[in-house]
Amino acid sequence: MGRRRQSVTIKHVAADAGVSLQTVSRVINDEPNVRPAMKEKVQASIDKLGYVPSIAAQRMSGSRSYLILAINDRDRTIADWRARDGRDWIDQMLLGGMLTAAERGYRMIFELVDTHSDHVERELGAALAALQPDGVIVTPPHSENPQITGLLAERGIPFARIGSKEDGPGIAMTMGDELLAGKATDHLIELGHLRIGFIAGPDEYSLSAWRVDGWREAMGNAGLDCDGLLEQGDFGFESGLAAARALLDRDDPPTAIIASSDQMALAALDVARERGLDVPRDLSIVSFDNTPVVRFTSPALTALDQAISATTARAVELLIDARKNGAPDQPVVVEGELIVRGSTARAPNHARS
C-alpha cells in the first residue's frame, strides 16, 4: 500500500508564505487590516498547496460558525417529497445555497421545522443552539411568521426573509412576483387574448396577492376588465380543478388562464381536456414555478420560472457579508423569467360553445 498523503495544514501555508500563523488565520477569516500584498501572498500559497480550511478549526479560532441554516416547513416539505410529483423547490434551494456557501468557505445546513405548531420557538431554538449558524434563510410563509423572525432578531442572528417585503429585521427578498405575473399577462395580451383568467394562491402567502396585483396592473394597462376572471386555490391540484371549472363555467369564459402554481396549471389542463377544449387552440395556459413536470405535459406548459436557486445564492452572499455591510435598506429582488412553450397561442377568433 502507498503512503497516506499528508494533509496540508495552516502551518504548511505559513511556512511556504514566510508569514506567521496569525497572519494566515486573518487572511482565511477575511479579517480587516490585512495588507492587499500580504493577502495575495498568503492566497498564492493556499492555492499552490491546495489547502482547504477546516471548518472545525475556523470555528475554534473566532466567533463565526461558518454555517448557514436554511429552514422550511416540515409537513409541506415531507408531503411534497412523498408525492414525487416533480416539485423541486428544495433541490433549487440546495443548488444555489450549498454551492455559493462552499465557494465562500461555508456550509449550508437544511432543517425542517414544524412552523405551524405551538412549540415552533422550542424547535427552532434547539436548532440554533446546536448549530450556532452565522445566518438563517427563512422561506414563505414562515418568512412573515413573527414567532420565527422575532426569535432570530432577539438572538442577533442575521437572516434573510424570502417572499417577504414587510418592514422589520432581516433581509427582505422577493422573486419579483408582480413583475412575473405582469410578464405572463402581457405575453397573452400580445397573442390577442382579451379575457385572461387568474387562479390565485392562498392568502397565507403574501406573494399570492402580489401575483394578483401584477395581473391586475397589466390588464388595466391594456384597458382590459378583470371582473369575473379571478378564482383562488391553495397551490394544490384539487383546488386548481375547482378554480378552472369555475372560470370556464362563466357565461363569457376566459380564453387564457394563468395559474399561480404548476399543480393548479396541470389541473386547468385536465379541465380543458374533460371539456373537449384544445390547448392552446381554444385555451392558453401559463403556470408559475416551472418545476420539471411542466416540460413533459402535452403540450408542454408555458411557465414563469422562479429564480429559487439564484435567490438562495444571493441570500447566502448577503448573510455572509452582513457583518461588514449590514442589511440592504430595500427588498432585494431576484427576478425570474417567462419560458414560452406549447401551451400558449393566439386567441381563438370564434366564441366557444
Side-chain angles (χ1 to χ4, degrees):
M1 289 177 62
R3 286 193 306 165
R4 186 177 178 181
R5 184 179 177 184
Q6 184 180 8
S7 299
V8 177
T9 69
I10 191 172
K11 291 182 179 179
H12 296 109
V13 175
D16 186 78
V19 300
S20 67
L21 294 175
Q22 290 82 357
T23 297
V24 177
S25 178
R26 287 169 63 196
V27 171
I28 291 170
N29 291 306
D30 196 24
E31 294 180 12
N33 302 321
V34 178
R35 288 184 291 110
M38 183 62 69
K39 189 172 184 177
E40 289 180 11
K41 184 177 182 181
V42 171
Q43 189 60 52
S45 293
I46 289 173
D47 295 341
K48 170 185 170 184
L49 299 174
Y51 172 67
V52 178
S54 161
I55 287 183
Q58 286 178 297
R59 294 184 74 165
M60 289 192 303
S61 69
S63 59
R64 283 183 282 179
S65 68
Y66 294 88
L67 294 177
I68 300 295
L69 172 64
I71 64 172
N72 212 50
D73 180 62
R74 177 183 288 122
D75 288 347
R76 185 180 292 273
T77 301
I78 291 175
D80 287 349
W81 284 342
R82 285 178 173 161
R84 302 182 70 181
D85 55 15
R87 302 183 213 199
D88 64 346
W89 173 276
I90 303 302
D91 293 348
Q92 291 298 309
M93 283 190 69
L94 295 176
L95 172 64
M98 293 181 73
L99 293 181
T100 303
E103 289 171 0
R104 301 287 294 270
Y106 280 67
R107 295 293 181 270
M108 189 176 89
I109 305 295
F110 193 83
E111 285 280 324
L112 298 181
V113 175
D114 188 2
T115 45
H116 294 290
S117 71
D118 294 334
H119 48 271
V120 59
E121 292 187 32
R122 186 180 68 200
E123 281 199 44
L124 181 55
L128 295 175
L131 298 170
Q132 299 180 8
D134 290 333
V136 176
I137 299 172
V138 191
T139 56
H142 325 305
S143 45
E144 294 182 329
N145 183 329
Q147 281 185 292
I148 295 174
T149 58
L151 176 62
L152 293 169
E154 181 183 324
R155 300 281 181 96
I157 301 172
F159 61 98
R161 299 180 278 122
I162 295 178
S164 174
K165 295 190 289 187
E166 291 182 348
D167 292 335
I171 302 168
M173 303 187 72
T174 81
M175 288 180 273
D177 295 270
E178 301 102 315
L179 298 171
L180 288 177
K183 280 185 177 182
T185 308
D186 288 341
H187 168 65
L188 293 168
I189 291 170
E190 289 170 2
L191 291 172
H193 293 274
L194 304 179
R195 291 186 58 76
I196 301 169
F198 197 95
I199 304 177
D203 291 336
E204 66 175 315
Y205 290 79
S206 291
L207 57 83
S208 294
W210 302 338
R211 293 174 183 180
V212 172
D213 290 343
W215 164 71
R216 286 190 187 279
E217 182 177 1
M219 292 285 280
N221 289 341
L224 300 178
D225 193 357
C226 294
D227 289 348
L229 292 173
L230 177 64
E231 290 290 332
Q232 186 170 37
D234 61 9
F235 291 143
F237 185 85
E238 293 300 323
S239 74
L241 291 175
R245 286 169 183 153
L247 286 171
L248 294 174
D249 281 341
R250 301 283 199 270
D251 291 337
D252 187 10
T255 61
I257 293 175
I258 302 170
S260 200
S261 76
D262 283 342
Q263 291 300 309
M264 295 194 297
L266 292 172
L269 188 60
D270 271 13
V271 171
R273 285 178 181 147
E274 75 183 19
R275 297 186 177 213
L277 301 175
D278 181 89
V279 176
R281 185 187 64 208
D282 301 317
L283 178 71
S284 287
I285 298 175
V286 180
S287 174
F288 263 89
D289 296 338
N290 195 39
T291 55
V293 68
V294 302
R295 298 196 299 272
F296 303 106
T297 57
S298 181
L301 288 176
T302 293
L304 294 156
D305 186 78
Q306 294 193 91
I308 301 166
S309 175
T311 302
T312 309
R314 185 66 182 132
V316 168
E317 292 174 343
L318 291 167
L319 290 171
I320 291 174
D321 294 335
R323 292 188 177 211
K324 293 187 295 184
N325 302 333
D329 295 331
Q330 301 293 325
V332 176
V333 180
V334 184
E335 188 182 342
E337 60 182 323
L338 175 69
I339 309 296
V340 178
R341 300 192 180 95
S343 68
T344 53
R346 293 204 62 80
N349 294 322
H350 56 87
R352 296 195 302 270
S353 57

